[in-house]
Amino acid sequence: MPIVLQSFTTPANTTIVANTAGGTFPQIPVVVTPSATAPFIDGSNAYIWAPNSAANQTVTFVSRFTFPLGLLNVALPVSVNYAFSGTETVIVSGVLEVVNLLGIVIATIPVFTNVVNAGGPLSVEIASGDALLALQLLGTNAVLTITSTVTSGAAGTGNYLGQVTVNEVIAI
């Protein structure tokens, strides 16, 4: 299964669309120092959080990952895996959109919905799903959008990290 995309959440591909600590939206997340017990995901501990912090804070992140679908595919099965960790509760959903050369979304496919971590900052969960992308033409891209809602308890303790891997199952 060839990897067609592997990437982490970063301030470059992630925005904050809601934050109970307030501010103007969208916000750009910042890289934060995780706690000493925060788990690494595939060797990375580059956690992100909101630029402002408050007690009992809830932050919603939207990350977008784009990858080409090739020149011509009659059917392209893909498998999406998303490993994630956060301060306390993390809820993630993923949607795959097929976008043509003009930037028009021609298909929207839910990949996984409302996957919740097992609880606490030591938990790394994996959300996964499969999709069959049919009849892709030259210049077509896929955009995987991950929406994550993360809560933290004490001010200054918030963190979130995700890693997406998309595999091409088989090309026909």
Side-chain angles (χ1 to χ4, degrees):
M1 290 194 319
I3 295 175
V4 294
L5 170 69
Q6 190 165 40
S7 184
F8 288 96
T9 51
T10 68
N13 61 21
T14 303
T15 58
I16 296 169
V17 297
N19 180 352
T20 57
T24 304
F25 301 101
Q27 296 174 344
I28 297 171
V30 295
V31 175
V32 295
T33 303
S35 70
T37 58
F40 282 66
I41 296 178
D42 201 16
S44 175
N45 72 342
Y47 283 77
I48 58 175
W49 192 246
N52 51 349
S53 183
N56 301 314
Q57 184 175 4
T58 300
V59 178
T60 301
F61 298 91
V62 174
S63 302
R64 289 184 176 81
F65 306 94
T66 302
F67 59 96
L69 293 177
L71 299 177
L72 174 64
N73 294 300
V74 175
L76 179 64
V78 294
S79 177
V80 177
N81 293 292
Y82 187 68
F84 62 95
S85 181
T87 309
E88 290 181 15
T89 304
V90 183
I91 303 169
V92 301
S93 295
V95 174
L96 190 61
E97 294 177 325
V98 178
V99 181
N100 71 12
L101 218 103
L102 301 174
I104 299 169
V105 175
I106 56 176
T108 301
I109 305 150
V111 182
F112 46 83
T113 305
N114 295 332
V115 178
V116 182
N117 67 339
L122 302 179
S123 170
V124 175
E125 291 294 321
I126 297 177
S128 61
D130 301 316
L132 178 62
L133 308 176
L135 192 56
Q136 306 311 311
L137 303 175
L138 175 66
T140 306
N141 287 322
V143 178
L144 178 63
T145 302
I146 307 286
T147 303
S148 306
T149 302
V150 186
T151 60
S152 71
T157 63
N159 63 53
Y160 166 67
L161 174 62
Q163 179 197 26
V164 65
T165 302
V166 178
N167 296 90
E168 181 180 324
V169 178
I170 187 170
I172 298 175

